[in-house]
Amino acid sequence: MRLPCILTIAALLRASGQPRNATTAQARRRLQGGGVTAVVITVHNALASTIDCLEALVATARGSVRLKVVLVLDNCDGPTTASLTTWSRRRGRQDDVVVLTNHSSYSLAANEGLRAALHAEDVDAVALLNSDTVPSTGWLHGLRRVLFSPPTDDDLADAFAAADVDENEMVTATELANYRLHPGEDAEFFEKLKPYDKNGDGALTWPEVCPEATDVPVRGCDDRDWACAPRSQDDDVAGLLPPRLAAVGALSNAASYQTVPWPTPRNRRERRAVRGWNVVALPAGWTPETAARAARLGATGRRADAGLLNGFCMLLSRDAIDAVGLLDEATYPGGYGEENDWAVRARRAGWGLAVVPGVHLFHAKTQSYSIERRQELKLIARENSRAKWSHGEVGLAERLLKRSPHLSLARHVAELQYTGWRAKALAAAPTAALVLVEGGAQPPDWLQNAAAVRRNARLFVRSCVVGAVDVDTCADYLVAPVFDYVVSTGPKGKTTAEAINRCHPNVVHVDGSRQRPSVLDVHAPRVAASQAPRRGAAAAAAAAAMDFPALYHMANP
């Protein structure tokens, strides 16, 4: 069996997967010209953080994504209600909806928001977003792209590895049943695996699940050279590969197993302050946009198969909501646990769930409820889940999220990005470039005058030497990605660039005499100052208005 080895230095940069051709065009049409995304935000006071969330939401939701905000004000105080009931009108947003409730219950209030969102026929996805989050640029587009994309051969390989808990390179009916969160229903899944079990041993091996093709060129940064035989779109491969996703989630600084990097001893003070919840403080000089940029640069392009999703940010497809239903407000009236329950119900019904490692949202945490109240609600939800899912379904689902190699990789990359010079480089400017300088050669002409714009701190440039005997200072720079562009300037630099061309989104080659390449001319629409969130919006606006070549400066300590 030849499974992709994702924990390689190359994979730390970027891996590429290929969706099945039969459905790629359809998925692209749905993403680009699809329906409206309704964002349901349930509010219980915490006015300042809610305003920050809303302002960041409208400032970062640009491009082809059509957005509708549904505000559910659940038993809010007077100032919060007065301010938020008029927020959309003040911002000139005509399609937003405000729902007033007195449930004092997240589950009941969120269901009110879901009903209001789905009342509009053009809504094809609904995001449940906490009011203490700070949405980042492109977050909705990134989540929609994965939610509406068909599964790939990479996803099948990940599912096989996740189901093979004992790592003996075989998946039994018991492992299949547990993977689909149907513990104890081995007989049904034994029948499901029969069509693929070529040797009749009652278990699936990788060659049985995905016959190898010998004439497929290497693709992806993990050096895979195999591909699966064609399958129909609705072939779930014995339950390993759900044809569609029910919901997707994002990374964050505070989101249980979706937290990056993993909290370390240096975060003990933050963890004590929130009674052990996974919370990571951003490095000095970082904004929520910096953390989002770090996640985008570090993403491999692969989704992380999940059994649960943290409820701080979930994008649900309308079709899945219609099939699975709303949140279980009877079992979880106080909130906490309702998103786990919905995820278990979705996976048991044959839908998939995934985390998108390239999307990161800042989560302030503990803004609407006290820490004591949160702890109380969490304990109640845990007992209710044990009673409802008495065969351990929630535990099996949590194990899938906990064991995800893609989330482990994201945490590892983030640990490198969040420390040392890499953290300082990401904080220095909204855009950065690494220039591969030929050993013994002069830098290109367009870098010679870079000192003239040294004072402009909106661009960070670092150079390294390739090709000289016993001197290659570039390897360390490429271990964890913090550069938006990699620019090579000579024959040996070009060879180095070609080696990582599949792994980095923007690799540019120029010779020593050429003017700066036109591909570096990045122009994007400006964000009006009035549209910027009160916290950390300047970085997003600066990045959007970036004119890359005009802002070069050297920074090589």
Side-chain angles (χ1 to χ4, degrees):
M1 180 177 69
R2 304 182 67 181
L3 289 177
C5 177
I6 65 167
L7 292 176
T8 63
I9 288 180
L12 293 178
L13 295 172
R14 189 167 305 269
S16 61
Q18 294 179 352
R20 280 175 255 172
N21 294 334
T23 55
T24 300
Q26 179 182 1
R28 185 180 298 113
R29 284 195 300 270
R30 186 166 191 180
L31 173 64
Q32 295 175 347
V36 173
T37 303
V39 179
V40 175
I41 302 176
T42 298
V43 182
H44 177 66
N45 301 324
L47 176 60
S49 61
T50 302
I51 291 293
D52 289 342
C53 175
L54 290 170
E55 295 294 334
L57 178 61
V58 298
T60 57
R62 300 190 296 270
S64 59
V65 174
R66 298 158 60 195
L67 173 69
K68 177 177 184 176
V69 178
V70 178
L71 272 175
V72 184
L73 309 184
D74 186 30
N75 201 21
C76 292
D77 57 32
T80 300
T81 302
S83 178
L84 295 182
T85 52
T86 60
W87 176 83
S88 293
R89 186 172 68 250
R90 297 196 308 269
R91 305 292 278 110
R93 300 182 54 81
Q94 303 301 318
D95 296 330
D96 293 348
V97 176
V98 176
V99 179
L100 300 177
T101 71
N102 291 296
H103 297 304
S104 294
S105 161
Y106 174 80
S107 300
L108 274 69
N111 278 345
E112 294 269 14
L114 289 170
R115 294 186 188 96
L118 297 175
H119 184 72
E121 295 182 357
D122 56 354
V123 169
D124 63 359
V126 181
L128 291 175
L129 188 66
N130 279 16
S131 62
D132 55 0
T133 58
V134 181
S136 55
T137 300
W139 73 282
L140 265 181
H141 184 276
L143 294 182
R144 283 184 62 95
R145 177 182 58 80
V146 174
L147 180 64
F148 292 126
S149 292
T152 69
D153 297 339
D154 291 326
D155 300 325
L156 180 57
D158 294 338
F160 186 94
D164 182 22
V165 176
D166 58 9
E167 299 183 352
N168 67 346
E169 299 189 354
M170 292 192 303
V171 174
T172 65
T174 298
E175 288 176 323
L176 271 175
N178 290 341
Y179 179 72
R180 295 309 315 166
L181 307 188
H182 284 266
E185 302 177 25
D186 300 7
E188 176 184 343
F189 283 87
F190 180 80
E191 294 299 319
K192 284 180 174 290
L193 65 79
K194 268 188 176 180
Y196 304 90
D197 183 17
K198 303 303 181 184
N199 61 6
D201 64 352
L204 298 180
T205 62
W206 181 246
E208 289 174 327
V209 170
C210 181
E212 291 183 295
T214 58
D215 58 347
V216 177
V218 172
R219 103 176 170 262
C221 294
D222 50 21
D223 295 326
R224 283 187 304 102
D225 59 357
W226 54 265
C228 293
R231 298 184 304 276
S232 62
Q233 181 181 354
D234 59 353
D235 181 7
D236 69 356
V237 195
L240 279 174
L241 190 65
R244 293 186 295 175
L245 293 178
V248 293
L251 302 180
S252 181
N253 63 298
S256 185
Y257 294 111
Q258 294 160 230
T259 302
V260 293
W262 197 248
T264 61
R266 61 191 172 86
N267 298 108
R268 285 174 180 168
R269 180 176 300 176
E270 289 84 358
R271 286 175 58 80
R272 282 199 300 268
V274 291
R275 303 284 177 85
W277 296 74
N278 283 353
V279 176
V280 174
L282 297 183
W286 281 36
T287 68
E289 281 293 330
T290 312
R293 176 174 160 228
R296 286 194 298 269
L297 291 173
T300 64
R302 302 272 286 277
R303 72 191 195 191
D305 188 19
L308 302 174
L309 294 174
N310 190 279
F312 88 104
C313 173
M314 293 173 58
L315 181 65
L316 290 64
S317 80
R318 183 184 190 120
D319 291 343
I321 298 173
D322 290 342
V324 178
L326 301 178
L327 303 176
D328 183 354
E329 57 193 40
T331 306
Y332 307 93
Y336 291 92
E338 76 290 329
E339 75 271 32
N340 293 349
D341 173 82
W342 193 90
V344 170
R345 286 154 51 201
R347 282 192 66 94
R348 284 174 58 84
W351 294 80
L353 301 164
V355 177
V356 184
V359 177
H360 183 287
L361 278 75
F362 182 80
H363 186 195
K365 208 84 168 172
T366 68
Q367 297 300 302
S368 296
Y369 294 95
S370 67
I371 295 175
E372 290 74 17
R373 179 57 176 163
R374 286 162 53 84
Q375 290 291 101
E376 178 185 348
L377 293 173
K378 184 179 179 180
L379 291 175
I380 294 173
R382 182 179 299 169
E383 292 303 315
N384 290 346
S385 288
R386 287 173 178 170
K388 180 175 181 178
W389 302 109
S390 57
H391 297 288
E393 290 88 343
V394 175
L396 291 171
E398 184 178 34
R399 184 175 66 182
L400 285 173
L401 186 65
K402 184 178 180 179
R403 293 180 66 243
S404 169
H406 297 296
L407 292 183
S408 296
L409 179 61
R411 289 191 285 266
H412 175 68
V413 173
E415 181 63 31
L416 297 176
Q417 293 175 320
Y418 278 55
T419 56
W421 69 265
R422 291 184 176 87
K424 295 178 181 178
L426 285 164
T431 307
L434 176 67
V435 181
L436 311 181
V437 179
E438 192 76 19
Q442 292 292 321
D445 295 340
W446 46 273
L447 274 178
Q448 295 299 315
N449 298 323
V453 290
R454 181 188 296 270
R455 291 186 300 273
N456 193 322
R458 291 167 63 192
L459 178 72
F460 179 85
V461 177
R462 178 166 289 202
S463 62
C464 61
V465 178
V466 295
V469 178
D470 296 330
V471 177
D472 190 335
T473 63
C474 296
D476 184 54
Y477 294 128
L478 299 174
V479 170
V482 297
F483 298 100
D484 303 271
Y485 295 89
V486 175
V487 183
S488 62
T489 61
K492 293 184 176 63
K494 184 177 182 180
T495 300
T496 302
E498 288 174 347
I500 64 170
N501 191 49
R502 295 175 293 125
C503 310
H504 195 282
N506 296 305
V507 178
V508 183
H509 177 73
V510 297
D511 60 39
S513 61
R514 272 188 58 181
Q515 296 296 312
R516 54 181 176 250
S518 60
V519 71
L520 295 185
D521 291 325
V522 178
H523 298 282
R526 287 183 180 274
V527 177
S530 61
Q531 294 179 322
R534 296 189 301 177
R535 294 180 185 174
M546 198 71 204
D547 181 357
F548 191 92
L551 300 174
Y552 264 115
H553 70 285
M554 295 299 290
N556 293 300

mmCIF file with all atom_site columns, all heavy atoms in Angstrom, residues 364-382:
data_model
loop_
_atom_site.group_PDB
_atom_site.id
_atom_site.type_symbol
_atom_site.label_atom_id
_atom_site.label_alt_id
_atom_site.label_comp_id
_atom_site.label_asym_id
_atom_site.label_entity_id
_atom_site.label_seq_id
_atom_site.pdbx_PDB_ins_code
_atom_site.Cartn_x
_atom_site.Cartn_y
_atom_site.Cartn_z
_atom_site.occupancy
_atom_site.B_iso_or_equiv
_atom_site.pdbx_formal_charge
_atom_site.auth_seq_id
_atom_site.auth_comp_id
_atom_site.auth_asym_id
_atom_site.auth_atom_id
_atom_site.pdbx_PDB_model_num
ATOM 1   N N   . ALA A 1 364 ? -12.234 35.322 20.489 1.00 0.00 ? 364 ALA A N   1
ATOM 2   C CA  . ALA A 1 364 ? -11.909 35.991 21.748 1.00 0.00 ? 364 ALA A CA  1
ATOM 3   C C   . ALA A 1 364 ? -12.235 35.125 22.959 1.00 0.00 ? 364 ALA A C   1
ATOM 4   O O   . ALA A 1 364 ? -11.537 35.165 23.969 1.00 0.00 ? 364 ALA A O   1
ATOM 5   C CB  . ALA A 1 364 ? -12.633 37.331 21.843 1.00 0.00 ? 364 ALA A CB  1
ATOM 6   N N   . LYS A 1 365 ? -13.326 34.356 22.901 1.00 0.00 ? 365 LYS A N   1
ATOM 7   C CA  . LYS A 1 365 ? -13.717 33.441 23.968 1.00 0.00 ? 365 LYS A CA  1
ATOM 8   C C   . LYS A 1 365 ? -14.230 34.195 25.208 1.00 0.00 ? 365 LYS A C   1
ATOM 9   O O   . LYS A 1 365 ? -13.833 35.303 25.496 1.00 0.00 ? 365 LYS A O   1
ATOM 10  C CB  . LYS A 1 365 ? -12.540 32.546 24.363 1.00 0.00 ? 365 LYS A CB  1
ATOM 11  C CG  . LYS A 1 365 ? -12.932 31.184 24.926 1.00 0.00 ? 365 LYS A CG  1
ATOM 12  C CD  . LYS A 1 365 ? -13.206 30.179 23.836 1.00 0.00 ? 365 LYS A CD  1
ATOM 13  C CE  . LYS A 1 365 ? -13.306 28.774 24.382 1.00 0.00 ? 365 LYS A CE  1
ATOM 14  N NZ  . LYS A 1 365 ? -13.752 27.807 23.414 1.00 0.00 ? 365 LYS A NZ  1
ATOM 15  N N   . THR A 1 366 ? -15.170 33.586 25.901 1.00 0.00 ? 366 THR A N   1
ATOM 16  C CA  . THR A 1 366 ? -15.725 34.025 27.191 1.00 0.00 ? 366 THR A CA  1
ATOM 17  C C   . THR A 1 366 ? -16.254 35.453 27.166 1.00 0.00 ? 366 THR A C   1
ATOM 18  O O   . THR A 1 366 ? -16.137 36.185 28.130 1.00 0.00 ? 366 THR A O   1
ATOM 19  C CB  . THR A 1 366 ? -14.684 33.911 28.332 1.00 0.00 ? 366 THR A CB  1
ATOM 20  O OG1 . THR A 1 366 ? -13.647 34.875 28.126 1.00 0.00 ? 366 THR A OG1 1
ATOM 21  C CG2 . THR A 1 366 ? -14.090 32.524 28.414 1.00 0.00 ? 366 THR A CG2 1
ATOM 22  N N   . GLN A 1 367 ? -16.859 35.873 26.058 1.00 0.00 ? 367 GLN A N   1
ATOM 23  C CA  . GLN A 1 367 ? -17.372 37.235 25.992 1.00 0.00 ? 367 GLN A CA  1
ATOM 24  C C   . GLN A 1 367 ? -18.838 37.340 26.426 1.00 0.00 ? 367 GLN A C   1
ATOM 25  O O   . GLN A 1 367 ? -19.240 38.338 27.014 1.00 0.00 ? 367 GLN A O   1
ATOM 26  C CB  . GLN A 1 367 ? -17.222 37.781 24.563 1.00 0.00 ? 367 GLN A CB  1
ATOM 27  C CG  . GLN A 1 367 ? -15.771 37.882 24.093 1.00 0.00 ? 367 GLN A CG  1
ATOM 28  C CD  . GLN A 1 367 ? -14.950 38.801 24.966 1.00 0.00 ? 367 GLN A CD  1
ATOM 29  O OE1 . GLN A 1 367 ? -15.273 39.973 25.124 1.00 0.00 ? 367 GLN A OE1 1
ATOM 30  N NE2 . GLN A 1 367 ? -13.894 38.265 25.548 1.00 0.00 ? 367 GLN A NE2 1
ATOM 31  N N   . SER A 1 368 ? -19.653 36.346 26.122 1.00 0.00 ? 368 SER A N   1
ATOM 32  C CA  . SER A 1 368 ? -21.081 36.427 26.438 1.00 0.00 ? 368 SER A CA  1
ATOM 33  C C   . SER A 1 368 ? -21.430 35.792 27.777 1.00 0.00 ? 368 SER A C   1
ATOM 34  O O   . SER A 1 368 ? -22.383 36.207 28.422 1.00 0.00 ? 368 SER A O   1
ATOM 35  C CB  . SER A 1 368 ? -21.898 35.745 25.323 1.00 0.00 ? 368 SER A CB  1
ATOM 36  O OG  . SER A 1 368 ? -21.742 36.426 24.096 1.00 0.00 ? 368 SER A OG  1
ATOM 37  N N   . TYR A 1 369 ? -20.671 34.772 28.164 1.00 0.00 ? 369 TYR A N   1
ATOM 38  C CA  . TYR A 1 369 ? -20.959 34.083 29.417 1.00 0.00 ? 369 TYR A CA  1
ATOM 39  C C   . TYR A 1 369 ? -19.708 34.065 30.287 1.00 0.00 ? 369 TYR A C   1
ATOM 40  O O   . TYR A 1 369 ? -18.580 34.060 29.781 1.00 0.00 ? 369 TYR A O   1
ATOM 41  C CB  . TYR A 1 369 ? -21.416 32.635 29.159 1.00 0.00 ? 369 TYR A CB  1
ATOM 42  C CG  . TYR A 1 369 ? -22.743 32.522 28.449 1.00 0.00 ? 369 TYR A CG  1
ATOM 43  C CD1 . TYR A 1 369 ? -22.798 32.383 27.067 1.00 0.00 ? 369 TYR A CD1 1
ATOM 44  C CD2 . TYR A 1 369 ? -23.938 32.561 29.163 1.00 0.00 ? 369 TYR A CD2 1
ATOM 45  C CE1 . TYR A 1 369 ? -24.015 32.275 26.399 1.00 0.00 ? 369 TYR A CE1 1
ATOM 46  C CE2 . TYR A 1 369 ? -25.161 32.453 28.510 1.00 0.00 ? 369 TYR A CE2 1
ATOM 47  C CZ  . TYR A 1 369 ? -25.189 32.315 27.134 1.00 0.00 ? 369 TYR A CZ  1
ATOM 48  O OH  . TYR A 1 369 ? -26.384 32.212 26.490 1.00 0.00 ? 369 TYR A OH  1
ATOM 49  N N   . SER A 1 370 ? -19.902 34.006 31.590 1.00 0.00 ? 370 SER A N   1
ATOM 50  C CA  . SER A 1 370 ? -18.775 33.904 32.493 1.00 0.00 ? 370 SER A CA  1
ATOM 51  C C   . SER A 1 370 ? -18.126 32.534 32.357 1.00 0.00 ? 370 SER A C   1
ATOM 52  O O   . SER A 1 370 ? -18.742 31.568 31.874 1.00 0.00 ? 370 SER A O   1
ATOM 53  C CB  . SER A 1 370 ? -19.237 34.108 33.940 1.00 0.00 ? 370 SER A CB  1
ATOM 54  O OG  . SER A 1 370 ? -20.072 33.032 34.352 1.00 0.00 ? 370 SER A OG  1
ATOM 55  N N   . ILE A 1 371 ? -16.881 32.439 32.804 1.00 0.00 ? 371 ILE A N   1
ATOM 56  C CA  . ILE A 1 371 ? -16.181 31.164 32.744 1.00 0.00 ? 371 ILE A CA  1
ATOM 57  C C   . ILE A 1 371 ? -16.912 30.116 33.585 1.00 0.00 ? 371 ILE A C   1
ATOM 58  O O   . ILE A 1 371 ? -17.043 28.952 33.191 1.00 0.00 ? 371 ILE A O   1
ATOM 59  C CB  . ILE A 1 371 ? -14.728 31.329 33.224 1.00 0.00 ? 371 ILE A CB  1
ATOM 60  C CG1 . ILE A 1 371 ? -13.965 32.242 32.261 1.00 0.00 ? 371 ILE A CG1 1
ATOM 61  C CG2 . ILE A 1 371 ? -14.035 29.984 33.353 1.00 0.00 ? 371 ILE A CG2 1
ATOM 62  C CD1 . ILE A 1 371 ? -12.562 32.562 32.717 1.00 0.00 ? 371 ILE A CD1 1
ATOM 63  N N   . GLU A 1 372 ? -17.421 30.535 34.745 1.00 0.00 ? 372 GLU A N   1
ATOM 64  C CA  . GLU A 1 372 ? -18.134 29.598 35.613 1.00 0.00 ? 372 GLU A CA  1
ATOM 65  C C   . GLU A 1 372 ? -19.385 29.054 34.931 1.00 0.00 ? 372 GLU A C   1
ATOM 66  O O   . GLU A 1 372 ? -19.670 27.842 35.009 1.00 0.00 ? 372 GLU A O   1
ATOM 67  C CB  . GLU A 1 372 ? -18.512 30.295 36.925 1.00 0.00 ? 372 GLU A CB  1
ATOM 68  C CG  . GLU A 1 372 ? -17.330 30.613 37.841 1.00 0.00 ? 372 GLU A CG  1
ATOM 69  C CD  . GLU A 1 372 ? -16.504 31.795 37.329 1.00 0.00 ? 372 GLU A CD  1
ATOM 70  O OE1 . GLU A 1 372 ? -17.014 32.561 36.475 1.00 0.00 ? 372 GLU A OE1 1
ATOM 71  O OE2 . GLU A 1 372 ? -15.356 31.939 37.769 1.00 0.00 ? 372 GLU A OE2 1
ATOM 72  N N   . ARG A 1 373 ? -20.121 29.943 34.253 1.00 0.00 ? 373 ARG A N   1
ATOM 73  C CA  . ARG A 1 373 ? -21.331 29.505 33.563 1.00 0.00 ? 373 ARG A CA  1
ATOM 74  C C   . ARG A 1 373 ? -20.997 28.575 32.400 1.00 0.00 ? 373 ARG A C   1
ATOM 75  O O   . ARG A 1 373 ? -21.696 27.580 32.174 1.00 0.00 ? 373 ARG A O   1
ATOM 76  C CB  . ARG A 1 373 ? -22.109 30.727 33.054 1.00 0.00 ? 373 ARG A CB  1
ATOM 77  C CG  . ARG A 1 373 ? -23.396 30.402 32.285 1.00 0.00 ? 373 ARG A CG  1
ATOM 78  C CD  . ARG A 1 373 ? -24.356 29.564 33.100 1.00 0.00 ? 373 ARG A CD  1
ATOM 79  N NE  . ARG A 1 373 ? -25.606 29.347 32.399 1.00 0.00 ? 373 ARG A NE  1
ATOM 80  C CZ  . ARG A 1 373 ? -26.483 28.396 32.715 1.00 0.00 ? 373 ARG A CZ  1
ATOM 81  N NH1 . ARG A 1 373 ? -26.239 27.566 33.733 1.00 0.00 ? 373 ARG A NH1 1
ATOM 82  N NH2 . ARG A 1 373 ? -27.605 28.256 32.035 1.00 0.00 ? 373 ARG A NH2 1
ATOM 83  N N   . ARG A 1 374 ? -19.921 28.853 31.707 1.00 0.00 ? 374 ARG A N   1
ATOM 84  C CA  . ARG A 1 374 ? -19.493 28.000 30.601 1.00 0.00 ? 374 ARG A CA  1
ATOM 85  C C   . ARG A 1 374 ? -19.131 26.605 31.101 1.00 0.00 ? 374 ARG A C   1
ATOM 86  O O   . ARG A 1 374 ? -19.488 25.598 30.483 1.00 0.00 ? 374 ARG A O   1
ATOM 87  C CB  . ARG A 1 374 ? -18.292 28.635 29.885 1.00 0.00 ? 374 ARG A CB  1
ATOM 88  C CG  . ARG A 1 374 ? -18.648 29.831 29.034 1.00 0.00 ? 374 ARG A CG  1
ATOM 89  C CD  . ARG A 1 374 ? -17.414 30.659 28.713 1.00 0.00 ? 374 ARG A CD  1
ATOM 90  N NE  . ARG A 1 374 ? -16.358 29.864 28.133 1.00 0.00 ? 374 ARG A NE  1
ATOM 91  C CZ  . ARG A 1 374 ? -16.258 29.557 26.830 1.00 0.00 ? 374 ARG A CZ  1
ATOM 92  N NH1 . ARG A 1 374 ? -17.175 30.004 25.996 1.00 0.00 ? 374 ARG A NH1 1
ATOM 93  N NH2 . ARG A 1 374 ? -15.259 28.839 26.371 1.00 0.00 ? 374 ARG A NH2 1
ATOM 94  N N   . GLN A 1 375 ? -18.427 26.536 32.227 1.00 0.00 ? 375 GLN A N   1
ATOM 95  C CA  . GLN A 1 375 ? -18.055 25.244 32.788 1.00 0.00 ? 375 GLN A CA  1
ATOM 96  C C   . GLN A 1 375 ? -19.304 24.444 33.179 1.00 0.00 ? 375 GLN A C   1
ATOM 97  O O   . GLN A 1 375 ? -19.386 23.238 32.953 1.00 0.00 ? 375 GLN A O   1
ATOM 98  C CB  . GLN A 1 375 ? -17.160 25.447 34.008 1.00 0.00 ? 375 GLN A CB  1
ATOM 99  C CG  . GLN A 1 375 ? -15.764 25.965 33.690 1.00 0.00 ? 375 GLN A CG  1
ATOM 100 C CD  . GLN A 1 375 ? -14.929 24.924 32.980 1.00 0.00 ? 375 GLN A CD  1
ATOM 101 O OE1 . GLN A 1 375 ? -14.756 24.969 31.767 1.00 0.00 ? 375 GLN A OE1 1
ATOM 102 N NE2 . GLN A 1 375 ? -14.411 23.969 33.728 1.00 0.00 ? 375 GLN A NE2 1
ATOM 103 N N   . GLU A 1 376 ? -20.261 25.142 33.769 1.00 0.00 ? 376 GLU A N   1
ATOM 104 C CA  . GLU A 1 376 ? -21.505 24.485 34.182 1.00 0.00 ? 376 GLU A CA  1
ATOM 105 C C   . GLU A 1 376 ? -22.258 23.920 32.981 1.00 0.00 ? 376 GLU A C   1
ATOM 106 O O   . GLU A 1 376 ? -22.707 22.765 32.984 1.00 0.00 ? 376 GLU A O   1
ATOM 107 C CB  . GLU A 1 376 ? -22.379 25.489 34.934 1.00 0.00 ? 376 GLU A CB  1
ATOM 108 C CG  . GLU A 1 376 ? -23.725 24.928 35.372 1.00 0.00 ? 376 GLU A CG  1
ATOM 109 C CD  . GLU A 1 376 ? -24.605 25.992 36.007 1.00 0.00 ? 376 GLU A CD  1
ATOM 110 O OE1 . GLU A 1 376 ? -24.091 27.094 36.312 1.00 0.00 ? 376 GLU A OE1 1
ATOM 111 O OE2 . GLU A 1 376 ? -25.803 25.731 36.199 1.00 0.00 ? 376 GLU A OE2 1
ATOM 112 N N   . LEU A 1 377 ? -22.386 24.730 31.920 1.00 0.00 ? 377 LEU A N   1
ATOM 113 C CA  . LEU A 1 377 ? -23.092 24.279 30.719 1.00 0.00 ? 377 LEU A CA  1
ATOM 114 C C   . LEU A 1 377 ? -22.371 23.120 30.048 1.00 0.00 ? 377 LEU A C   1
ATOM 115 O O   . LEU A 1 377 ? -23.004 22.194 29.519 1.00 0.00 ? 377 LEU A O   1
ATOM 116 C CB  . LEU A 1 377 ? -23.242 25.441 29.737 1.00 0.00 ? 377 LEU A CB  1
ATOM 117 C CG  . LEU A 1 377 ? -24.154 26.587 30.179 1.00 0.00 ? 377 LEU A CG  1
ATOM 118 C CD1 . LEU A 1 377 ? -24.079 27.741 29.196 1.00 0.00 ? 377 LEU A CD1 1
ATOM 119 C CD2 . LEU A 1 377 ? -25.588 26.096 30.312 1.00 0.00 ? 377 LEU A CD2 1
ATOM 120 N N   . LYS A 1 378 ? -21.059 23.155 30.075 1.00 0.00 ? 378 LYS A N   1
ATOM 121 C CA  . LYS A 1 378 ? -20.276 22.087 29.451 1.00 0.00 ? 378 LYS A CA  1
ATOM 122 C C   . LYS A 1 378 ? -20.501 20.759 30.156 1.00 0.00 ? 378 LYS A C   1
ATOM 123 O O   . LYS A 1 378 ? -20.657 19.706 29.504 1.00 0.00 ? 378 LYS A O   1
ATOM 124 C CB  . LYS A 1 378 ? -18.793 22.462 29.468 1.00 0.00 ? 378 LYS A CB  1
ATOM 125 C CG  . LYS A 1 378 ? -17.892 21.467 28.760 1.00 0.00 ? 378 LYS A CG  1
ATOM 126 C CD  . LYS A 1 378 ? -16.452 21.920 28.793 1.00 0.00 ? 378 LYS A CD  1
ATOM 127 C CE  . LYS A 1 378 ? -15.541 20.911 28.105 1.00 0.00 ? 378 LYS A CE  1
ATOM 128 N NZ  . LYS A 1 378 ? -14.121 21.348 28.119 1.00 0.00 ? 378 LYS A NZ  1
ATOM 129 N N   . LEU A 1 379 ? -20.531 20.776 31.485 1.00 0.00 ? 379 LEU A N   1
ATOM 130 C CA  . LEU A 1 379 ? -20.742 19.544 32.238 1.00 0.00 ? 379 LEU A CA  1
ATOM 131 C C   . LEU A 1 379 ? -22.138 18.976 31.991 1.00 0.00 ? 379 LEU A C   1
ATOM 132 O O   . LEU A 1 379 ? -22.319 17.759 31.846 1.00 0.00 ? 379 LEU A O   1
ATOM 133 C CB  . LEU A 1 379 ? -20.532 19.803 33.734 1.00 0.00 ? 379 LEU A CB  1
ATOM 134 C CG  . LEU A 1 379 ? -19.090 20.096 34.166 1.00 0.00 ? 379 LEU A CG  1
ATOM 135 C CD1 . LEU A 1 379 ? -19.048 20.463 35.642 1.00 0.00 ? 379 LEU A CD1 1
ATOM 136 C CD2 . LEU A 1 379 ? -18.182 18.907 33.885 1.00 0.00 ? 379 LEU A CD2 1
ATOM 137 N N   . ILE A 1 380 ? -23.138 19.855 31.942 1.00 0.00 ? 380 ILE A N   1
ATOM 138 C CA  . ILE A 1 380 ? -24.507 19.404 31.671 1.00 0.00 ? 380 ILE A CA  1
ATOM 139 C C   . ILE A 1 380 ? -24.586 18.769 30.293 1.00 0.00 ? 380 ILE A C   1
ATOM 140 O O   . ILE A 1 380 ? -25.185 17.694 30.106 1.00 0.00 ? 380 ILE A O   1
ATOM 141 C CB  . ILE A 1 380 ? -25.497 20.587 31.782 1.00 0.00 ? 380 ILE A CB  1
ATOM 142 C CG1 . ILE A 1 380 ? -25.565 21.083 33.224 1.00 0.00 ? 380 ILE A CG1 1
ATOM 143 C CG2 . ILE A 1 380 ? -26.880 20.175 31.289 1.00 0.00 ? 380 ILE A CG2 1
ATOM 144 C CD1 . ILE A 1 380 ? -26.385 22.359 33.387 1.00 0.00 ? 380 ILE A CD1 1
ATOM 145 N N   . ALA A 1 381 ? -23.976 19.417 29.290 1.00 0.00 ? 381 ALA A N   1
ATOM 146 C CA  . ALA A 1 381 ? -24.005 18.902 27.928 1.00 0.00 ? 381 ALA A CA  1
ATOM 147 C C   . ALA A 1 381 ? -23.311 17.546 27.824 1.00 0.00 ? 381 ALA A C   1
ATOM 148 O O   . ALA A 1 381 ? -23.764 16.649 27.104 1.00 0.00 ? 381 ALA A O   1
ATOM 149 C CB  . ALA A 1 381 ? -23.345 19.899 26.978 1.00 0.00 ? 381 ALA A CB  1
ATOM 150 N N   . ARG A 1 382 ? -22.233 17.375 28.573 1.00 0.00 ? 382 ARG A N   1
ATOM 151 C CA  . ARG A 1 382 ? -21.502 16.106 28.530 1.00 0.00 ? 382 ARG A CA  1
ATOM 152 C C   . ARG A 1 382 ? -22.374 14.971 29.047 1.00 0.00 ? 382 ARG A C   1
ATOM 153 O O   . ARG A 1 382 ? -22.411 13.878 28.451 1.00 0.00 ? 382 ARG A O   1
ATOM 154 C CB  . ARG A 1 382 ? -20.229 16.226 29.354 1.00 0.00 ? 382 ARG A CB  1
ATOM 155 C CG  . ARG A 1 382 ? -19.363 14.973 29.349 1.00 0.00 ? 382 ARG A CG  1
ATOM 156 C CD  . ARG A 1 382 ? -18.115 15.198 30.185 1.00 0.00 ? 382 ARG A CD  1
ATOM 157 N NE  . ARG A 1 382 ? -17.309 16.292 29.651 1.00 0.00 ? 382 ARG A NE  1
ATOM 158 C CZ  . ARG A 1 382 ? -16.285 16.828 30.299 1.00 0.00 ? 382 ARG A CZ  1
ATOM 159 N NH1 . ARG A 1 382 ? -15.960 16.401 31.510 1.00 0.00 ? 382 ARG A NH1 1
ATOM 160 N NH2 . ARG A 1 382 ? -15.589 17.807 29.747 1.00 0.00 ? 382 ARG A NH2 1
#
